[in-house]
Amino acid sequence: MFLTLRSAVEEALADALATLDYPTDDLGIEEPPEDVDAVLASSVAFRLASEAGAPPPQVAAEVADALDADDIEYVAAITTQGPYVNFLPSDAYYAGTLDAGQADDYGRLEDTGESAVVEHTSANPTGPVHVGRARNPIVGDAVANVLDFAGYDVDRHYYVNDAGRQMAVFTWAYEHFDEEDLEGEPERDRIEYDLVRYYRKGNAFLEDGPADEVEAAEAEIQAIMQGLEAGDEDVHDRVTEVVDQVLSGMRECLARLPAEFDEFVKESRFMFDGSTDDLVARLKELDEAVYEEDAWQLDLTPHGIEKNMVFLRSDDTSLYTTRDLAHHEWKFENYDRAVTVLGEDHKLQAEQLQTTLDLLGNDTSQLENVIFSWVNLPGGLGMSTREGTGVDLDDLLDEAVDRARQEVEDRMEDRIRDDDLTDEDVDHIAHQVGIGAVRYDIISKQLTKTITFEWDRALDFEAQSAPYVQYVHARTCGILDEVDEVPAFDASALEREEAHDLLRTIARFPAVVEASADALEPHNVATYTREFAETFNAFYRECPVLSEDDPEVRAARVALVAAARNTIANALGLLGVAAPDSM
RNA sequence: GGGCACGUAGCUCAGCCAGGAUAGAGCGUCGGACUUCUAAUCCGAUGGUCAUGGGUUCGAAUCCCAUCGUGCUCGCCA
């Protein structure tokens, strides 16, 4: 409804301004503050004042006179308030919203007919997923959800680095060291916790080991990389043995969020199918290609990038970025839109990638990057797999679920809702709430802001958290549980201001989806859920549903609660936060 | 040092990209509301030179420039 109303207002206002001989390039459409009854307003009078030679309020009146509410869909009246022209919603606006909200998939936009691939996480398979890395799957999953809901045919990809130096080091360490060489026990009984010890041991050895042994190790690592480059299946199998094991453990961890993928795309695939070689040949032909210090590079200074991009090492092996170019051309062939979610430490590389893809003749408007800032530990500490610093995501999720379970159990005694929870229910709710809280905490912040991870804050179940919003969903379910089905209703029976406020908030949801998909910013869905929860709670306080005596009012309120449930369930779904039926 | 971000209440954050109606929340502190559709809730009070200084504008938290502080980055790593 909101989207329809907005375009209707835009069109009508542009027509009116044209009729009055005013410019129509800036309509000044905005959403007024809460205490104003209008759904939309225009501040265009400010801009026209000097041209009109009249004060803004007078111009606003003139503009309002030139408009006819009857001609604008979903607008009941046009008023002025000082310099503002306000557009008030009609009964049909409320009625239409209440009807639309009955659909389970309320908020889903029409199919765009376009496909999109969202690549996210893509962490090197070196060890357990830590909290610093967790922003990527959580944001990435939400971005994919939003695009899907906004009408795209979405695939989720994890790009697996199985051909870089890191994996060569890992493979060498895995083959070279024995269990007894390793320090300590695995922190958890899962494969990546076991194997990461080889990786750490290997890196420590390369740093501090005896010179001659380090040299021999480097030769072995070199041989692995050369083997991969040459398409040697045996070498590939050796590396794959490590990669697949570590990755399987990481996938289990990510599945807890949950973050699932349609495809794990291995970069070695672009070496073995010849596309990397082909790409290198084409890169050499570019005007920007230079051969310096025995390595092939691209001089991108004409394109505003100071740093040269090496695409072929002096030993003739390719680099991550080289293979990533081939990877992206593959994406372009298969998808209309390619979105990559990555940390700010990869920003320069992403710019090089995009510029180079452009030079190679690709349409890089297909490519969009979602870049997020760091997650730090208090005291400015970073998180590193190699050094073993950082908080494991598994530990965070365990703690979150434990604390949530404690909360549920603490509340069991003075529960009023009579839906006898079993132990299984309690466990289920604890998972929904605990993991939801972690996701929400991370997703509700702007991507550009650095996050400092603090246990207590991430697991605060008070307001502005997932449980606060989830509780609203549980409340809607609590009410709807008491009715068999939504009765026939008439929106005009809703007379309370709180009901209208809630309907207006529900009406905005599709616009939130649209804006979030356009900007690739899931955090504003989180902001919306919070506003929604506040609006719903006001309705809940002031407008009893089940105990309402007037059957028409009761029916309309039941329908409103159903619309609210669909809206908040879908909004939470976009965030990947579970929507509990009871809490 | 160069490039790119970030700096809003004691703390954690919305609002900024598309400049406009008294700058919004939560936590904290203080005071209220459960025989009621679940109090993981709600209501009230408290609290802000929107880092600083300029500029553009009728109007700047929002756009531009400079300064300060913080983070990321500047590998034949990824």
Side-chain angles (χ1 to χ4, degrees):
Chain A
M1 289 322 114
F2 180 84
L3 291 170
T4 308
L5 180 144
R6 191 176 61 190
S7 29
V9 165
E10 282 167 356
E11 198 181 324
L13 185 56
D15 284 351
L17 293 178
T19 306
L20 295 168
D21 257 349
Y22 288 131
T24 59
D25 52 313
D26 186 352
L27 301 175
I29 300 283
E30 56 193 77
E31 291 183 46
E34 276 177 40
D35 55 339
V36 176
D37 266 344
V39 167
L40 284 176
S42 170
S43 60
V44 73
F46 282 111
R47 255 142 304 179
L48 302 178
S50 62
E51 179 164 335
Q58 195 178 318
V59 179
E62 184 189 0
V63 172
D65 280 346
L67 288 159
D68 185 353
D70 293 342
D71 294 340
I72 311 176
E73 193 173 14
Y74 297 133
V75 172
I78 295 156
T79 63
T80 61
Q81 198 169 332
Y84 295 95
V85 179
N86 289 331
F87 298 86
L88 278 64
S90 66
D91 292 343
Y93 183 71
Y94 292 116
T97 300
L98 192 57
D99 282 337
Q102 302 306 309
D104 286 343
D105 66 346
Y106 174 65
R108 179 177 282 283
L109 306 183
E110 273 181 50
D111 271 1
T112 60
E114 290 190 25
S115 62
V117 56
V118 176
E119 179 201 330
H120 69 84
T121 308
S122 301
N124 294 345
T126 51
V129 179
H130 58 63
V131 174
R133 283 173 168 177
R135 200 171 183 180
N136 203 318
I138 290 171
V139 169
D141 197 50
V143 166
N145 292 340
V146 167
L147 286 175
D148 176 73
F149 214 59
Y152 288 87
D153 182 12
V154 177
D155 273 351
R156 298 147 200 260
H157 285 189
Y158 185 122
Y159 186 51
V160 184
N161 163 26
D162 66 338
R165 184 183 150 84
Q166 285 188 355
M167 294 323 297
V169 169
F170 204 155
T171 302
W172 156 77
Y174 178 69
E175 294 171 348
H176 184 78
F177 295 106
D178 292 320
E179 174 73 30
E180 56 260 30
D181 297 325
L182 305 174
E183 287 157 30
E185 294 297 308
E187 290 162 29
R188 188 177 285 255
D189 182 23
R190 215 171 54 210
I191 189 69
E192 81 274 32
Y193 286 88
D194 181 10
L195 298 191
V196 73
R197 297 176 305 150
Y198 290 90
Y199 182 63
R200 289 182 183 142
K201 175 74 182 175
N203 277 292
F205 185 87
L206 291 175
E207 205 150 301
D208 306 324
D212 55 332
E213 288 182 47
V214 168
E215 200 178 314
E218 287 290 359
E220 179 64 23
I221 291 161
Q222 187 58 222
I224 293 171
M225 292 178 70
Q226 292 286 357
L228 286 173
E229 200 70 31
D232 184 326
E233 291 291 350
D234 288 340
V235 173
H236 188 230
D237 288 346
R238 287 161 58 200
V239 175
T240 299
E241 188 185 343
V242 176
V243 168
D244 284 355
Q245 287 189 84
V246 176
L247 196 59
S248 72
M250 294 169 74
R251 286 173 68 170
E252 280 189 47
C253 176
L254 293 169
R256 299 181 65 187
L257 285 172
E260 310 268 8
F261 296 87
D262 295 299
E263 197 170 345
F264 286 78
V265 181
K266 288 182 174 170
E267 61 171 340
S268 58
R269 152 183 187 166
F270 301 104
M271 300 167 88
F272 281 70
D273 71 0
S275 58
T276 301
D277 289 341
D278 172 63
L279 209 120
V280 165
R282 286 163 57 209
L283 287 170
K284 285 179 179 173
E285 295 301 316
L286 293 176
D287 292 341
E288 288 79 2
V290 292
Y291 186 75
E292 285 175 10
E293 299 176 43
D294 300 329
W296 279 96
Q297 342 194 345
L298 243 39
D299 177 5
L300 297 175
T301 41
H303 307 282
I305 297 174
E306 298 280 325
K307 184 194 157 203
N308 273 17
M309 194 203 82
V310 178
F311 61 89
L312 198 62
R313 293 187 179 97
S314 51
D315 64 4
D316 272 352
T317 56
S318 60
L319 289 90
Y320 176 88
T321 314
T322 324
R323 301 181 295 264
D324 206 20
L325 286 165
H327 171 217
H328 275 84
E329 290 199 332
W330 171 79
K331 284 192 199 173
F332 289 167
E333 280 170 27
N334 291 288
Y335 298 93
D336 298 313
R337 226 176 142 178
V339 176
T340 317
V341 181
L342 66 174
E344 64 173 339
D345 52 329
H346 287 64
K347 201 170 178 176
L348 179 61
Q349 182 212 329
E351 283 167 16
Q352 288 184 328
L353 183 78
Q354 186 140 0
T355 301
T356 307
L357 283 167
D358 197 33
L359 294 175
L360 287 167
N362 296 283
D363 173 13
T364 50
S365 65
Q366 292 177 82
L367 178 64
E368 292 160 285
N369 294 315
V370 174
I371 294 174
F372 59 87
S373 294
W374 226 232
V375 180
N376 286 319
L377 292 168
L381 290 173
M383 303 204 194
S384 158
T385 300
R386 190 158 43 81
E387 292 162 15
T389 57
V391 176
D392 290 326
L393 180 58
D394 281 309
D395 293 341
L396 174 62
L397 297 181
D398 283 352
E399 178 73 17
V401 173
D402 284 347
R403 291 198 196 188
R405 184 179 288 110
Q406 193 60 51
E407 292 278 340
V408 180
E409 284 169 358
D410 287 350
R411 289 162 213 278
M412 285 301 273
E413 284 174 22
D414 40 38
R415 270 181 77 83
I416 298 173
R417 187 167 161 187
D418 56 347
D419 60 349
D420 304 318
L421 297 177
T422 63
D423 287 351
E424 234 173 65
D425 293 333
V426 170
D427 192 60
H428 185 55
I429 294 167
H431 274 84
Q432 291 181 310
V433 169
I435 290 174
V438 171
R439 285 188 79 123
Y440 197 90
D441 182 63
I442 287 179
I443 219 166
S444 59
K445 282 159 189 150
Q446 257 187 51
L447 296 168
T448 49
K449 308 273 180 131
T450 305
I451 294 178
T452 299
F453 174 78
E454 292 173 78
W455 282 100
D456 286 340
R457 203 170 287 286
L459 300 182
D460 181 3
F461 297 151
E462 300 283 317
Q464 291 201 349
S465 68
Y468 173 72
V469 178
Q470 288 174 314
Y471 191 59
V472 165
H473 183 264
R475 276 180 153 175
T476 61
C477 291
I479 294 170
L480 294 171
D481 272 356
E482 303 297 323
V483 296
D484 294 331
E485 58 181 353
V486 176
F489 59 86
D490 185 342
S492 63
L494 296 171
E495 289 179 334
R496 295 293 299 261
E497 189 188 347
E498 290 82 4
H500 286 150
D501 286 347
L502 181 53
L503 269 176
R504 286 213 297 260
T505 303
I506 291 170
R508 277 174 47 218
F509 182 49
V512 171
V513 173
E514 185 187 73
S516 193
D518 285 348
L520 298 173
E521 283 176 354
H523 96 271
N524 53 32
V525 176
T527 303
Y528 173 76
T529 61
R530 206 168 58 221
E531 291 164 0
F532 184 96
E534 282 162 15
T535 311
F536 179 84
N537 283 327
F539 166 79
Y540 185 88
R541 181 181 71 246
E542 300 296 334
C543 303
V545 178
L546 299 175
S547 59
E548 171 59 43
D549 292 329
D550 183 329
E552 292 197 4
V553 174
R554 186 179 189 273
R557 285 182 181 171
V558 168
L560 179 53
V561 171
R565 182 181 61 180
N566 290 333
T567 305
I568 200 63
N570 292 338
L572 285 171
L574 294 178
L575 303 177
V577 172
D581 294 343
S582 181
M583 283 172 73

